[in-house]
Amino acid sequence: MANKFEEYLRPQFMPHIWCPGCGHGITLNALLRTIAKLELDKDKVCVVSGIGCASRAPGYLDFNTLHTTHGRAIPFATGIKLAKPELEVIVVTGDGDGAAIGGNHLIHAARRNIGLTVVMFNNSIYGMTSGQYSPMTPSGKSATTAPYGNIERDFDVCKLVQASGANYVARATVAQPRQLSTYIERAINTKGFAFVEAQGMCPTYYGRRNKLGGPVEMLDVLKKNTVTVQAAAKLSPEELKGKIITGELYQANDPEYCDLYDNLIKQAQEVAGK
Amino acid sequence: MAGSCDSRARLMQGNECCCEAAILAGLKFFAGYPITPSSEIAEVLAERLPRVGGKFIQMEDEIASMAAVVGSSLTGAKSMTATSGPGFSLKQENLGFAAFTEVPCVVVNVQRTGPSTGLPTSPAQGDIMQARWGTHGDHPVVALYPSSVSEIFDITVKAFNIAEMLRTPVILLMDEVIAHMRERVIVPCADEVEVVDRVRPTVAPADYLPYDAASDGVPPMADFGTGYRWHATGLYHDVTGFPTSIPSKVDFLIRRLIAKVESRKKEITFTKSQYMDDARVAVVACGITARSARSAVRSAREKGIAAGLFQPQTIWPFPSEMIADIAGRVDRIIVPEMNMGQLVLEVERAAAGKCEVVGYSRVDGEPITPDEILARLEEV
Ligand SMILES: Cc1ncc(C[n+]2csc(CCOP(=O)(O)OP(=O)(O)O)c2C)c(N)n1
Ligand code: SF4
């Protein structure tokens, strides 16, 4: 089992572009481990991404892969899923890609409850463009475009996705890779829109600029700042400041969009046949 | 002509006719966002597509619609979107993506007066250059431009066929007046319509190189989900589909993409001519303006003026060689258009000084009348 996921890689395109110690590798590992565990048919898996460091992942994966434009992975994936619902369509996106430029698509895909699995590689920064702040850079932190500290509030993207109508919402950090795999597994097994936020880390830009040390120290910071959703329920807003709430945050069983569309086709054809 | 169905004359609106033709050409997926004067296309397809087992989705904006269309086409479904003015601007980034990743699709732009929200929703022909250069960087483009409802039928079918044949997005430029006009159209039976499908790979999946083009410059395209696991990216890529920045490979790719369309120019160039054999003054016009010109040229002939009309239905790639030929035979070319002068620039370039080229612009939200064109013809 240990290296089973290697068969899902395209080794001929390695080495990958990620920096040593980048958290994206851990999230990708969790994703592949899950796909291996579920024994998904490679031919029926489609991985779609936008633009950013995280979004470079599909190129290295031996599935049907699509590296699209910045922020637009979800609508491309929507076209694929609706046209061929039997495909397992997984979207890989960054916090900038998915929560800034692609935020509106995220809302509407969740609202439709279309059967995509979206994994957001949240490294709290724009990595690919060298460290500008993203909508998920915590207030007060430094970025190249927030040299005096970020005065914007970072938002809780999981709450956004839940409120928009998704069937599954969870968050884990890269300091808990097994938990992350478990959530991705449940996301893939969810009928309807499923979202996993993987709180990761970018040592090169976010870590260095905010003096958080190297990858190992950053992992420690992640561990220290994490509270489970159950523990968080007992804490005051003051105590929760700066904490990362992990766990399965929401689950529902609402009808999936492509299923609804198939019913619509039946209806339309019955009407036409009469 | 008797077909296997009851092929019949129908009174149809331009937008409705576009849908009818698209379905006969094999359309299976439409994604769009409402905007006048193109909305009827979405409305008709929302009703019609599910009946033929196709899919319709109203996306959250035009960027998303363009993206969804590319996604669905990657699974093998013939796909289309339709929009107008501001929406066409929003489609540009992913239109470039489709051209670069070679994903066939049809993009309808029923033009309206711009810039910005402009004069909703009066007619204009201001997107001729946007159709060519709207997305950033060099890229191949095919854009077709009908001038009547029955031309919409033929040209829509051709748009799908060219998209499939060349693995490229095809833009269908329409005029508001024709999109909303009702005219008689003979709708053929399905088996009377020539339908082209993209070439799919015949090699085993292990041997498939997604961007290894055949001699015609077009690589066979595998549907996602059929065992050919390939990678599509908007980065420069080599024959494997994987990103590259090696200068020779970068140069090779962009030149192949441009040549793929240019080398088939004859096959994809559609034009109409009237009284051109002995014309001394030619009108070059597209869409609704070509209709006015047709009538103006007829009146001019009655007055003894040796006028003719050349109507490009394919505007990109531009039929430069045909214009050059005309320029060598006439004294003057008049280019009436509902913009500040876009088509005229291409005509001037192609005429290369061989004859006089004069533009005529109308930009008040009203179509150019036959009398206006006749007056220009009488100026000679
Ligand atoms: C339309 C557009 N705007 C801007 C960019 C530049 N750009 C590339 S990646 C990126 C941000 C990526 O950040 P994120 O999504 O957080 O991913 P990361 O690189 O951190 O993994 C930006 C702004 C672009 N490629 N396209
Ligand atoms: S810049 Fe940051 S996010 Fe990008 S690869 Fe390097 S460490 Fe990872």
PDB file of all heavy atoms in Angstrom, chain B residues 208-241:
ATOM      1  N   TYR B 208      -0.508   7.511 -27.333  1.00  0.00           N
ATOM      2  CA  TYR B 208      -1.182   8.770 -27.700  1.00  0.00           C
ATOM      3  C   TYR B 208      -0.373   9.985 -27.260  1.00  0.00           C
ATOM      4  O   TYR B 208      -0.035  10.135 -26.091  1.00  0.00           O
ATOM      5  CB  TYR B 208      -2.564   8.794 -27.047  1.00  0.00           C
ATOM      6  CG  TYR B 208      -3.377  10.041 -27.341  1.00  0.00           C
ATOM      7  CD1 TYR B 208      -3.629  10.462 -28.636  1.00  0.00           C
ATOM      8  CD2 TYR B 208      -3.905  10.800 -26.290  1.00  0.00           C
ATOM      9  CE1 TYR B 208      -4.385  11.595 -28.897  1.00  0.00           C
ATOM     10  CE2 TYR B 208      -4.678  11.939 -26.539  1.00  0.00           C
ATOM     11  CZ  TYR B 208      -4.908  12.325 -27.847  1.00  0.00           C
ATOM     12  OH  TYR B 208      -5.665  13.441 -28.103  1.00  0.00           O
ATOM     13  N   LEU B 209      -0.082  10.862 -28.218  1.00  0.00           N
ATOM     14  CA  LEU B 209       0.549  12.140 -27.916  1.00  0.00           C
ATOM     15  C   LEU B 209      -0.485  13.214 -28.278  1.00  0.00           C
ATOM     16  O   LEU B 209      -0.765  13.433 -29.454  1.00  0.00           O
ATOM     17  CB  LEU B 209       1.821  12.329 -28.746  1.00  0.00           C
ATOM     18  CG  LEU B 209       3.006  11.440 -28.353  1.00  0.00           C
ATOM     19  CD1 LEU B 209       4.117  11.536 -29.389  1.00  0.00           C
ATOM     20  CD2 LEU B 209       3.524  11.820 -26.966  1.00  0.00           C
ATOM     21  N   PRO B 210      -1.075  13.865 -27.284  1.00  0.00           N
ATOM     22  CA  PRO B 210      -2.255  14.684 -27.553  1.00  0.00           C
ATOM     23  C   PRO B 210      -2.020  15.865 -28.501  1.00  0.00           C
ATOM     24  O   PRO B 210      -2.949  16.345 -29.124  1.00  0.00           O
ATOM     25  CB  PRO B 210      -2.670  15.172 -26.164  1.00  0.00           C
ATOM     26  CG  PRO B 210      -1.499  14.942 -25.277  1.00  0.00           C
ATOM     27  CD  PRO B 210      -0.745  13.812 -25.850  1.00  0.00           C
ATOM     28  N   TYR B 211      -0.781  16.318 -28.605  1.00  0.00           N
ATOM     29  CA  TYR B 211      -0.537  17.464 -29.484  1.00  0.00           C
ATOM     30  C   TYR B 211       0.416  17.120 -30.622  1.00  0.00           C
ATOM     31  O   TYR B 211       1.114  17.976 -31.152  1.00  0.00           O
ATOM     32  CB  TYR B 211      -0.070  18.674 -28.668  1.00  0.00           C
ATOM     33  CG  TYR B 211      -1.220  19.216 -27.844  1.00  0.00           C
ATOM     34  CD1 TYR B 211      -1.351  18.914 -26.493  1.00  0.00           C
ATOM     35  CD2 TYR B 211      -2.221  19.982 -28.442  1.00  0.00           C
ATOM     36  CE1 TYR B 211      -2.439  19.375 -25.754  1.00  0.00           C
ATOM     37  CE2 TYR B 211      -3.310  20.446 -27.719  1.00  0.00           C
ATOM     38  CZ  TYR B 211      -3.416  20.139 -26.371  1.00  0.00           C
ATOM     39  OH  TYR B 211      -4.498  20.599 -25.654  1.00  0.00           O
ATOM     40  N   ASP B 212       0.416  15.853 -31.000  1.00  0.00           N
ATOM     41  CA  ASP B 212       1.207  15.435 -32.146  1.00  0.00           C
ATOM     42  C   ASP B 212       0.293  15.538 -33.360  1.00  0.00           C
ATOM     43  O   ASP B 212      -0.551  14.677 -33.590  1.00  0.00           O
ATOM     44  CB  ASP B 212       1.689  13.996 -31.927  1.00  0.00           C
ATOM     45  CG  ASP B 212       2.736  13.604 -32.962  1.00  0.00           C
ATOM     46  OD1 ASP B 212       3.235  14.505 -33.663  1.00  0.00           O
ATOM     47  OD2 ASP B 212       3.032  12.404 -33.063  1.00  0.00           O
ATOM     48  N   ALA B 213       0.458  16.612 -34.130  1.00  0.00           N
ATOM     49  CA  ALA B 213      -0.482  16.895 -35.203  1.00  0.00           C
ATOM     50  C   ALA B 213      -0.246  16.006 -36.410  1.00  0.00           C
ATOM     51  O   ALA B 213       0.892  15.653 -36.723  1.00  0.00           O
ATOM     52  CB  ALA B 213      -0.365  18.349 -35.609  1.00  0.00           C
ATOM     53  N   ALA B 214      -1.334  15.671 -37.065  1.00  0.00           N
ATOM     54  CA  ALA B 214      -1.236  14.995 -38.353  1.00  0.00           C
ATOM     55  C   ALA B 214      -0.697  16.006 -39.370  1.00  0.00           C
ATOM     56  O   ALA B 214      -0.468  17.167 -39.045  1.00  0.00           O
ATOM     57  CB  ALA B 214      -2.613  14.488 -38.753  1.00  0.00           C
ATOM     58  N   SER B 215      -0.544  15.571 -40.622  1.00  0.00           N
ATOM     59  CA  SER B 215       0.072  16.449 -41.627  1.00  0.00           C
ATOM     60  C   SER B 215      -0.754  17.712 -41.864  1.00  0.00           C
ATOM     61  O   SER B 215      -0.236  18.724 -42.317  1.00  0.00           O
ATOM     62  CB  SER B 215       0.252  15.681 -42.927  1.00  0.00           C
ATOM     63  OG  SER B 215      -1.011  15.166 -43.316  1.00  0.00           O
ATOM     64  N   ASP B 216      -2.058  17.664 -41.532  1.00  0.00           N
ATOM     65  CA  ASP B 216      -2.869  18.865 -41.730  1.00  0.00           C
ATOM     66  C   ASP B 216      -2.764  19.828 -40.539  1.00  0.00           C
ATOM     67  O   ASP B 216      -3.482  20.817 -40.474  1.00  0.00           O
ATOM     68  CB  ASP B 216      -4.341  18.488 -41.970  1.00  0.00           C
ATOM     69  CG  ASP B 216      -4.975  17.797 -40.771  1.00  0.00           C
ATOM     70  OD1 ASP B 216      -4.249  17.502 -39.793  1.00  0.00           O
ATOM     71  OD2 ASP B 216      -6.194  17.553 -40.808  1.00  0.00           O
ATOM     72  N   GLY B 217      -1.882  19.532 -39.598  1.00  0.00           N
ATOM     73  CA  GLY B 217      -1.694  20.440 -38.472  1.00  0.00           C
ATOM     74  C   GLY B 217      -2.681  20.246 -37.344  1.00  0.00           C
ATOM     75  O   GLY B 217      -2.640  20.963 -36.356  1.00  0.00           O
ATOM     76  N   VAL B 218      -3.601  19.289 -37.501  1.00  0.00           N
ATOM     77  CA  VAL B 218      -4.628  19.090 -36.475  1.00  0.00           C
ATOM     78  C   VAL B 218      -4.375  17.773 -35.726  1.00  0.00           C
ATOM     79  O   VAL B 218      -4.423  16.710 -36.334  1.00  0.00           O
ATOM     80  CB  VAL B 218      -6.044  19.059 -37.102  1.00  0.00           C
ATOM     81  CG1 VAL B 218      -7.110  18.968 -36.020  1.00  0.00           C
ATOM     82  CG2 VAL B 218      -6.269  20.286 -37.978  1.00  0.00           C
ATOM     83  N   PRO B 219      -4.122  17.830 -34.425  1.00  0.00           N
ATOM     84  CA  PRO B 219      -3.903  16.586 -33.687  1.00  0.00           C
ATOM     85  C   PRO B 219      -5.222  15.876 -33.398  1.00  0.00           C
ATOM     86  O   PRO B 219      -6.215  16.527 -33.077  1.00  0.00           O
ATOM     87  CB  PRO B 219      -3.276  17.039 -32.362  1.00  0.00           C
ATOM     88  CG  PRO B 219      -3.206  18.542 -32.412  1.00  0.00           C
ATOM     89  CD  PRO B 219      -4.014  19.019 -33.570  1.00  0.00           C
ATOM     90  N   PRO B 220      -5.269  14.545 -33.512  1.00  0.00           N
ATOM     91  CA  PRO B 220      -6.480  13.811 -33.121  1.00  0.00           C
ATOM     92  C   PRO B 220      -6.787  14.089 -31.646  1.00  0.00           C
ATOM     93  O   PRO B 220      -5.877  14.262 -30.844  1.00  0.00           O
ATOM     94  CB  PRO B 220      -6.087  12.342 -33.328  1.00  0.00           C
ATOM     95  CG  PRO B 220      -4.937  12.374 -34.276  1.00  0.00           C
ATOM     96  CD  PRO B 220      -4.215  13.651 -34.019  1.00  0.00           C
ATOM     97  N   MET B 221      -8.069  14.140 -31.330  1.00  0.00           N
ATOM     98  CA  MET B 221      -8.464  14.542 -29.977  1.00  0.00           C
ATOM     99  C   MET B 221      -9.240  13.428 -29.290  1.00  0.00           C
ATOM    100  O   MET B 221     -10.269  12.972 -29.776  1.00  0.00           O
ATOM    101  CB  MET B 221      -9.341  15.792 -30.065  1.00  0.00           C
ATOM    102  CG  MET B 221      -9.757  16.334 -28.716  1.00  0.00           C
ATOM    103  SD  MET B 221     -10.576  17.930 -28.945  1.00  0.00           S
ATOM    104  CE  MET B 221     -11.046  18.255 -27.243  1.00  0.00           C
ATOM    105  N   ALA B 222      -8.747  13.005 -28.115  1.00  0.00           N
ATOM    106  CA  ALA B 222      -9.430  11.954 -27.354  1.00  0.00           C
ATOM    107  C   ALA B 222     -10.416  12.591 -26.385  1.00  0.00           C
ATOM    108  O   ALA B 222     -10.125  13.623 -25.779  1.00  0.00           O
ATOM    109  CB  ALA B 222      -8.407  11.136 -26.587  1.00  0.00           C
ATOM    110  N   ASP B 223     -11.582  11.974 -26.247  1.00  0.00           N
ATOM    111  CA  ASP B 223     -12.552  12.442 -25.258  1.00  0.00           C
ATOM    112  C   ASP B 223     -12.038  12.098 -23.862  1.00  0.00           C
ATOM    113  O   ASP B 223     -11.548  10.982 -23.645  1.00  0.00           O
ATOM    114  CB  ASP B 223     -13.901  11.722 -25.434  1.00  0.00           C
ATOM    115  CG  ASP B 223     -14.486  11.911 -26.820  1.00  0.00           C
ATOM    116  OD1 ASP B 223     -13.989  12.775 -27.577  1.00  0.00           O
ATOM    117  OD2 ASP B 223     -15.449  11.185 -27.150  1.00  0.00           O
ATOM    118  N   PHE B 224     -12.200  13.001 -22.924  1.00  0.00           N
ATOM    119  CA  PHE B 224     -11.896  12.678 -21.531  1.00  0.00           C
ATOM    120  C   PHE B 224     -12.763  11.500 -21.111  1.00  0.00           C
ATOM    121  O   PHE B 224     -13.952  11.433 -21.450  1.00  0.00           O
ATOM    122  CB  PHE B 224     -12.200  13.882 -20.625  1.00  0.00           C
ATOM    123  CG  PHE B 224     -11.026  14.832 -20.454  1.00  0.00           C
ATOM    124  CD1 PHE B 224      -9.893  14.745 -21.244  1.00  0.00           C
ATOM    125  CD2 PHE B 224     -11.066  15.826 -19.470  1.00  0.00           C
ATOM    126  CE1 PHE B 224      -8.813  15.611 -21.087  1.00  0.00           C
ATOM    127  CE2 PHE B 224      -9.996  16.701 -19.298  1.00  0.00           C
ATOM    128  CZ  PHE B 224      -8.870  16.593 -20.104  1.00  0.00           C
ATOM    129  N   GLY B 225     -12.161  10.583 -20.383  1.00  0.00           N
ATOM    130  CA  GLY B 225     -12.941   9.474 -19.844  1.00  0.00           C
ATOM    131  C   GLY B 225     -12.963   8.248 -20.736  1.00  0.00           C
ATOM    132  O   GLY B 225     -13.720   7.320 -20.483  1.00  0.00           O
ATOM    133  N   THR B 226     -12.126   8.232 -21.796  1.00  0.00           N
ATOM    134  CA  THR B 226     -12.168   7.086 -22.700  1.00  0.00           C
ATOM    135  C   THR B 226     -10.861   6.292 -22.688  1.00  0.00           C
ATOM    136  O   THR B 226     -10.587   5.537 -23.619  1.00  0.00           O
ATOM    137  CB  THR B 226     -12.476   7.529 -24.150  1.00  0.00           C
ATOM    138  OG1 THR B 226     -11.516   8.526 -24.538  1.00  0.00           O
ATOM    139  CG2 THR B 226     -13.877   8.096 -24.278  1.00  0.00           C
ATOM    140  N   GLY B 227     -10.063   6.505 -21.658  1.00  0.00           N
ATOM    141  CA  GLY B 227      -8.844   5.707 -21.543  1.00  0.00           C
ATOM    142  C   GLY B 227      -7.579   6.425 -22.000  1.00  0.00           C
ATOM    143  O   GLY B 227      -6.476   5.983 -21.718  1.00  0.00           O
ATOM    144  N   TYR B 228      -7.761   7.540 -22.698  1.00  0.00           N
ATOM    145  CA  TYR B 228      -6.605   8.330 -23.123  1.00  0.00           C
ATOM    146  C   TYR B 228      -6.415   9.417 -22.070  1.00  0.00           C
ATOM    147  O   TYR B 228      -7.109  10.422 -22.093  1.00  0.00           O
ATOM    148  CB  TYR B 228      -6.852   8.976 -24.480  1.00  0.00           C
ATOM    149  CG  TYR B 228      -6.974   7.989 -25.613  1.00  0.00           C
ATOM    150  CD1 TYR B 228      -8.183   7.342 -25.866  1.00  0.00           C
ATOM    151  CD2 TYR B 228      -5.878   7.705 -26.423  1.00  0.00           C
ATOM    152  CE1 TYR B 228      -8.291   6.433 -26.904  1.00  0.00           C
ATOM    153  CE2 TYR B 228      -5.984   6.798 -27.465  1.00  0.00           C
ATOM    154  CZ  TYR B 228      -7.187   6.165 -27.707  1.00  0.00           C
ATOM    155  OH  TYR B 228      -7.297   5.269 -28.734  1.00  0.00           O
ATOM    156  N   ARG B 229      -5.553   9.208 -21.136  1.00  0.00           N
ATOM    157  CA  ARG B 229      -5.416  10.191 -20.063  1.00  0.00           C
ATOM    158  C   ARG B 229      -4.395  11.230 -20.483  1.00  0.00           C
ATOM    159  O   ARG B 229      -3.202  10.963 -20.483  1.00  0.00           O
ATOM    160  CB  ARG B 229      -4.993   9.492 -18.769  1.00  0.00           C
ATOM    161  CG  ARG B 229      -6.009   8.469 -18.290  1.00  0.00           C
ATOM    162  CD  ARG B 229      -5.554   7.816 -17.010  1.00  0.00           C
ATOM    163  NE  ARG B 229      -4.250   7.198 -17.148  1.00  0.00           N
ATOM    164  CZ  ARG B 229      -4.057   5.949 -17.578  1.00  0.00           C
ATOM    165  NH1 ARG B 229      -5.087   5.185 -17.900  1.00  0.00           N
ATOM    166  NH2 ARG B 229      -2.842   5.477 -17.680  1.00  0.00           N
ATOM    167  N   TRP B 230      -4.880  12.383 -20.864  1.00  0.00           N
ATOM    168  CA  TRP B 230      -3.949  13.414 -21.349  1.00  0.00           C
ATOM    169  C   TRP B 230      -4.117  14.704 -20.580  1.00  0.00           C
ATOM    170  O   TRP B 230      -5.074  14.877 -19.822  1.00  0.00           O
ATOM    171  CB  TRP B 230      -4.090  13.609 -22.851  1.00  0.00           C
ATOM    172  CG  TRP B 230      -5.444  14.026 -23.352  1.00  0.00           C
ATOM    173  CD1 TRP B 230      -6.558  13.237 -23.459  1.00  0.00           C
ATOM    174  CD2 TRP B 230      -5.824  15.314 -23.841  1.00  0.00           C
ATOM    175  NE1 TRP B 230      -7.594  13.961 -24.000  1.00  0.00           N
ATOM    176  CE2 TRP B 230      -7.179  15.234 -24.238  1.00  0.00           C
ATOM    177  CE3 TRP B 230      -5.148  16.533 -23.996  1.00  0.00           C
ATOM    178  CZ2 TRP B 230      -7.872  16.336 -24.773  1.00  0.00           C
ATOM    179  CZ3 TRP B 230      -5.835  17.610 -24.536  1.00  0.00           C
ATOM    180  CH2 TRP B 230      -7.183  17.508 -24.916  1.00  0.00           C
ATOM    181  N   HIS B 231      -3.159  15.605 -20.807  1.00  0.00           N
ATOM    182  CA  HIS B 231      -3.100  16.856 -20.051  1.00  0.00           C
ATOM    183  C   HIS B 231      -3.297  18.035 -20.991  1.00  0.00           C
ATOM    184  O   HIS B 231      -2.609  18.164 -21.994  1.00  0.00           O
ATOM    185  CB  HIS B 231      -1.730  16.959 -19.366  1.00  0.00           C
ATOM    186  CG  HIS B 231      -1.581  18.151 -18.472  1.00  0.00           C
ATOM    187  ND1 HIS B 231      -2.413  18.377 -17.401  1.00  0.00           N
ATOM    188  CD2 HIS B 231      -0.705  19.194 -18.476  1.00  0.00           C
ATOM    189  CE1 HIS B 231      -2.044  19.498 -16.784  1.00  0.00           C
ATOM    190  NE2 HIS B 231      -1.015  20.014 -17.420  1.00  0.00           N
ATOM    191  N   ALA B 232      -4.253  18.893 -20.650  1.00  0.00           N
ATOM    192  CA  ALA B 232      -4.448  20.126 -21.421  1.00  0.00           C
ATOM    193  C   ALA B 232      -4.082  21.295 -20.528  1.00  0.00           C
ATOM    194  O   ALA B 232      -4.506  21.369 -19.371  1.00  0.00           O
ATOM    195  CB  ALA B 232      -5.901  20.232 -21.874  1.00  0.00           C
ATOM    196  N   THR B 233      -3.296  22.211 -21.038  1.00  0.00           N
ATOM    197  CA  THR B 233      -2.866  23.370 -20.257  1.00  0.00           C
ATOM    198  C   THR B 233      -2.795  24.600 -21.138  1.00  0.00           C
ATOM    199  O   THR B 233      -2.517  24.498 -22.337  1.00  0.00           O
ATOM    200  CB  THR B 233      -1.484  23.123 -19.605  1.00  0.00           C
ATOM    201  OG1 THR B 233      -1.055  24.333 -18.959  1.00  0.00           O
ATOM    202  CG2 THR B 233      -0.407  22.731 -20.609  1.00  0.00           C
ATOM    203  N   GLY B 234      -3.017  25.751 -20.541  1.00  0.00           N
ATOM    204  CA  GLY B 234      -2.881  27.026 -21.237  1.00  0.00           C
ATOM    205  C   GLY B 234      -1.443  27.521 -21.254  1.00  0.00           C
ATOM    206  O   GLY B 234      -1.174  28.630 -21.718  1.00  0.00           O
ATOM    207  N   LEU B 235      -0.530  26.712 -20.725  1.00  0.00           N
ATOM    208  CA  LEU B 235       0.897  27.028 -20.850  1.00  0.00           C
ATOM    209  C   LEU B 235       1.379  26.481 -22.193  1.00  0.00           C
ATOM    210  O   LEU B 235       0.806  25.527 -22.721  1.00  0.00           O
ATOM    211  CB  LEU B 235       1.695  26.332 -19.736  1.00  0.00           C
ATOM    212  CG  LEU B 235       1.570  26.897 -18.316  1.00  0.00           C
ATOM    213  CD1 LEU B 235       2.096  25.880 -17.306  1.00  0.00           C
ATOM    214  CD2 LEU B 235       2.330  28.205 -18.174  1.00  0.00           C
ATOM    215  N   TYR B 236       2.442  27.069 -22.715  1.00  0.00           N
ATOM    216  CA  TYR B 236       3.056  26.475 -23.901  1.00  0.00           C
ATOM    217  C   TYR B 236       3.408  25.032 -23.593  1.00  0.00           C
ATOM    218  O   TYR B 236       3.899  24.734 -22.499  1.00  0.00           O
ATOM    219  CB  TYR B 236       4.302  27.267 -24.327  1.00  0.00           C
ATOM    220  CG  TYR B 236       3.929  28.336 -25.326  1.00  0.00           C
ATOM    221  CD1 TYR B 236       3.495  29.592 -24.911  1.00  0.00           C
ATOM    222  CD2 TYR B 236       3.953  28.050 -26.690  1.00  0.00           C
ATOM    223  CE1 TYR B 236       3.103  30.547 -25.831  1.00  0.00           C
ATOM    224  CE2 TYR B 236       3.567  29.001 -27.618  1.00  0.00           C
ATOM    225  CZ  TYR B 236       3.139  30.249 -27.190  1.00  0.00           C
ATOM    226  OH  TYR B 236       2.747  31.184 -28.103  1.00  0.00           O
ATOM    227  N   HIS B 237       3.091  24.148 -24.533  1.00  0.00           N
ATOM    228  CA  HIS B 237       3.267  22.726 -24.287  1.00  0.00           C
ATOM    229  C   HIS B 237       3.865  22.070 -25.521  1.00  0.00           C
ATOM    230  O   HIS B 237       3.745  22.586 -26.630  1.00  0.00           O
ATOM    231  CB  HIS B 237       1.915  22.086 -23.948  1.00  0.00           C
ATOM    232  CG  HIS B 237       0.785  22.592 -24.808  1.00  0.00           C
ATOM    233  ND1 HIS B 237       0.078  23.743 -24.515  1.00  0.00           N
ATOM    234  CD2 HIS B 237       0.266  22.143 -25.968  1.00  0.00           C
ATOM    235  CE1 HIS B 237      -0.827  23.962 -25.463  1.00  0.00           C
ATOM    236  NE2 HIS B 237      -0.731  23.012 -26.353  1.00  0.00           N
ATOM    237  N   ASP B 238       4.480  20.916 -25.298  1.00  0.00           N
ATOM    238  CA  ASP B 238       5.021  20.171 -26.441  1.00  0.00           C
ATOM    239  C   ASP B 238       4.010  19.101 -26.863  1.00  0.00           C
ATOM    240  O   ASP B 238       2.871  19.113 -26.392  1.00  0.00           O
ATOM    241  CB  ASP B 238       6.410  19.592 -26.106  1.00  0.00           C
ATOM    242  CG  ASP B 238       6.365  18.625 -24.932  1.00  0.00           C
ATOM    243  OD1 ASP B 238       5.265  18.133 -24.601  1.00  0.00           O
ATOM    244  OD2 ASP B 238       7.425  18.343 -24.353  1.00  0.00           O
ATOM    245  N   VAL B 239       4.427  18.184 -27.709  1.00  0.00           N
ATOM    246  CA  VAL B 239       3.484  17.199 -28.242  1.00  0.00           C
ATOM    247  C   VAL B 239       2.868  16.321 -27.147  1.00  0.00           C
ATOM    248  O   VAL B 239       1.792  15.763 -27.313  1.00  0.00           O
ATOM    249  CB  VAL B 239       4.133  16.284 -29.318  1.00  0.00           C
ATOM    250  CG1 VAL B 239       4.459  17.077 -30.564  1.00  0.00           C
ATOM    251  CG2 VAL B 239       5.353  15.565 -28.774  1.00  0.00           C
ATOM    252  N   THR B 240       3.553  16.222 -26.000  1.00  0.00           N
ATOM    253  CA  THR B 240       3.007  15.404 -24.907  1.00  0.00           C
ATOM    254  C   THR B 240       1.879  16.134 -24.181  1.00  0.00           C
ATOM    255  O   THR B 240       1.155  15.533 -23.395  1.00  0.00           O
ATOM    256  CB  THR B 240       4.095  15.089 -23.854  1.00  0.00           C
ATOM    257  OG1 THR B 240       4.487  16.325 -23.231  1.00  0.00           O
ATOM    258  CG2 THR B 240       5.306  14.413 -24.460  1.00  0.00           C
ATOM    259  N   GLY B 241       1.762  17.427 -24.399  1.00  0.00           N
ATOM    260  CA  GLY B 241       0.760  18.219 -23.691  1.00  0.00           C
ATOM    261  C   GLY B 241       1.320  18.847 -22.427  1.00  0.00           C
ATOM    262  O   GLY B 241       0.691  19.685 -21.804  1.00  0.00           O
TER     263      GLY B 241
END
